[in-house]
Amino acid sequence: MTRVVDVVRAVIAPLTRTRVFRRVIGPTLLPPLEHLLARITHGRVQLSALLVPSLVLHTVGAKSGVARDVPLMYTPDGQGRAIVAGTNFAGERHPAWTTNLLANPDADITVRGRRMRVRATLIPGAERDATWATIERQWPGYRNYEREPGRTVRLFRLQPVRPPD
């Protein structure tokens, strides 16, 4: 299976670096496809998980207070935590989920069907280059999603927490 994933990644990765992907395919086609697949499989399969480690982030809307779910690529940091980047397909605005985490850093994630509590912390400026290097070992060229729009992408570290007794 790993060999198949490696081949698919080798084919797909260059596509994700194109303007067409960042402006059209990614933001307009992927979210509905992810939603459809999640609905069909009752949340057990993520389209993005076929290419990169993926999770579903469960937040509370910063303004609305309504529960929000969003599938995201993540990068394991080697210490049991996940790093997520608010690239928004190289869009000029921050994705809503990043605003939700800033307002309420306590959230849940679902990874490979397992739901867990996490606390999100914004990665400070001094750690950004090292964090981007970690992310780009998994997905080369991903930092271009920050460079193209010229905004500082919000990077978060998701630390699992124990539920209260």
Side-chain angles (χ1 to χ4, degrees), residues 61-81:
K63 292 181 184 177
S64 69
V66 174
R68 304 286 184 197
D69 299 339
V70 61
L72 299 172
M73 176 184 106
Y74 77 95
T75 301
D77 77 348
Q79 298 179 21
R81 301 173 299 199

Side-chain angles (χ1 to χ4, degrees), residues 57-63 65-66 97-108 117-121 156 158:
L57 176 66
H58 310 280
T59 62
V60 174
K63 292 181 184 177
V66 174
W97 64 265
T98 67
T99 303
N100 296 346
L101 286 181
L102 290 172
N104 184 4
D106 295 317
D108 287 1
R117 295 288 298 155
V118 295
R119 173 162 288 251
T121 55
F156 290 91
L158 305 178

Side-chain angles (χ1 to χ4, degrees), residues 108-165:
D108 287 1
I109 59 172
T110 300
V111 181
R112 293 186 297 278
R114 183 172 164 235
R115 189 167 175 143
M116 67 186 86
R117 295 288 298 155
V118 295
R119 173 162 288 251
T121 55
L122 190 62
I123 295 175
E127 297 178 36
R128 290 179 55 76
D129 286 338
T131 301
W132 272 116
T134 300
I135 293 169
E136 288 197 304
R137 278 193 293 278
Q138 173 180 292
W139 201 253
Y142 195 53
R143 193 167 191 181
N144 289 333
Y145 279 49
E146 176 177 64
R147 290 181 181 122
E148 184 176 309
R151 71 174 167 84
T152 301
V153 165
R154 294 172 178 160
L155 301 174
F156 290 91
R157 186 173 289 112
L158 305 178
Q159 172 74 48
V161 295
R162 292 180 176 253
D165 293 331

